[in-house]
Amino acid sequence: PKLCEKLEQYAHLACEAFASRSQLYKAFGGTTDHPPRLPSGAGFFDDDLHFFVCEDLDAEIPKDPSPDPPAVHTLTSVLCWAAADRLHRVAAHFFRDPIRAEHWQKKALEIHEEICQQAWNPARGAFTTFWGGDRVGPSMLRLAELGFLSPEDSRFRGTVRAFEVDAALCATCVKNPEGETLDEESIMSAYATCFTTNTLLWYSEALRSIGAVMESRRLVEALVRSSKHPGVLAQAIDLRSGEQWGNTPCTSALLSLLRVSLRLSRTWREV
């Protein structure tokens, strides 16, 4: 009971953050020369590649001259929905409190409806990384796993396919043979193209959930083959050479690998 009460306190905070938007904005403003940076949590979902760069945190960051309010990070808002949705289930099945369950269900439905209105881009047929945006980042691959959308929902399938179009924008490093960094448009001719391992595994899980099981399995098998030690993955991988970059082993990558591997594996009855 104490744990559930603690979770309910966190859910209240999440709903308050969603209502005020204060915790969902980009963390810092920007200018033409210094683009805005995402909320700190966005780095954990591979949407902000600055997260992987050591920067001077004490350096003064220019203020955003635009009068428009900063954009809302979609997955951060979805996590607020998830808090209300899970508390609805806890209240209904654990507390067996219909009044409390109805309260959280109403909160979850309100948040869900607003996110669908703000984050859906009809032109692209996909949910975007930011409300009102047009790019689809790695975090959008998690919508089905969180339960925000059903894997059978055509909107999730469209989001996965839109991510494939934008995948070059998610590369952490694109270089030519001389080691010079290239822009994302040069990805097909690049000598080195590096993606975070989590992004690739989230993509693999998204493929599996929409029915592209063979594509998902081939990607996971390729990642495992690139590892010098079976199942030990680094923070990022160069898709051209198979070379692993960054921290090794990477805990979050190992967890992602375990999750998708179990779901791709055959049951004992099928062996």
Side-chain angles (χ1 to χ4, degrees):
K2 289 185 178 180
L3 175 60
C4 293
E5 290 174 3
K6 195 70 174 178
L7 291 174
E8 193 165 28
Q9 292 177 13
Y10 285 124
H12 276 295
L13 293 174
C15 290
E16 289 173 4
F18 182 87
S20 66
R21 307 286 191 271
S22 60
Q23 302 302 317
L24 308 179
Y25 288 149
K26 294 179 181 178
F28 304 104
T31 63
T32 303
D33 299 325
H34 300 275
R37 289 166 54 191
L38 310 186
S40 57
F44 292 104
F45 305 113
D46 291 5
D47 287 329
D48 184 11
L49 300 183
H50 289 95
F51 181 79
F52 300 100
V53 180
C54 294
E55 298 177 335
D56 184 2
L57 298 180
D58 297 325
E60 183 178 353
I61 299 175
K63 295 183 178 180
D64 189 351
S66 172
D68 298 327
V72 173
H73 185 235
T74 300
L75 192 68
T76 306
S77 65
V78 169
L79 292 176
C80 294
W81 164 83
D85 177 71
R86 274 36 169 199
L87 259 295
H88 157 62
R89 302 183 193 185
V90 169
H93 300 288
F94 184 81
F95 289 121
R96 298 188 182 278
D97 185 337
I99 297 178
R100 187 182 287 179
E102 183 180 2
H103 166 76
W104 286 113
Q105 183 181 38
K106 182 179 178 181
K107 284 282 188 184
L109 289 174
E110 290 174 351
I111 294 175
H112 193 283
E113 182 178 357
E114 184 164 3
I115 294 173
C116 288
Q117 290 177 351
Q118 301 290 346
W120 175 255
N121 185 318
R124 299 215 56 191
F127 282 89
T128 55
T129 306
F130 297 109
W131 289 13
D134 57 6
R135 290 189 177 184
V136 181
S139 64
M140 295 297 92
L141 300 173
R142 314 299 302 279
L143 295 180
E145 187 169 1
L146 288 169
F148 185 80
L149 295 175
S150 166
E152 291 78 27
D153 193 321
S154 61
R155 293 176 298 175
F156 182 64
R157 184 181 297 271
T159 299
V160 175
R161 295 313 179 191
F163 167 78
E164 294 172 343
V165 175
D166 289 354
L169 305 174
C170 306
T172 60
C173 182
V174 180
K175 293 188 175 183
N176 63 15
E178 287 71 37
E180 298 174 343
T181 303
L182 306 174
D183 56 27
E184 59 269 9
E185 284 76 13
S186 307
I187 189 170
M188 298 307 296
S189 60
Y191 178 76
T193 304
C194 192
F195 284 84
T196 66
T197 311
N198 272 329
T199 291
L200 297 174
L201 289 170
W202 294 342
Y203 175 51
S204 176
E205 169 57 21
L207 288 174
R208 184 203 65 81
S209 67
I210 64 175
V213 178
M214 293 307 297
E215 292 180 55
S216 175
R217 187 184 299 276
R218 284 196 294 268
L219 177 55
V220 172
E221 290 176 349
L223 288 172
V224 172
R225 283 197 302 270
S226 72
S227 174
K228 295 180 180 178
H229 303 282
V232 178
L233 298 176
Q235 189 173 15
I237 183 171
D238 180 355
L239 296 186
R240 294 288 183 184
S241 65
E243 181 182 2
Q244 297 201 33
W245 291 8
N247 297 327
T248 306
C250 178
T251 303
S252 58
L254 296 178
L255 293 174
S256 296
L257 176 63
L258 287 172
R259 180 170 56 247
V260 69
S261 296
L262 288 173
R263 294 172 181 176
L264 284 171
S265 298
R266 293 181 295 172
T267 65
W268 285 109
R269 294 182 179 181
E270 296 175 307
V271 175

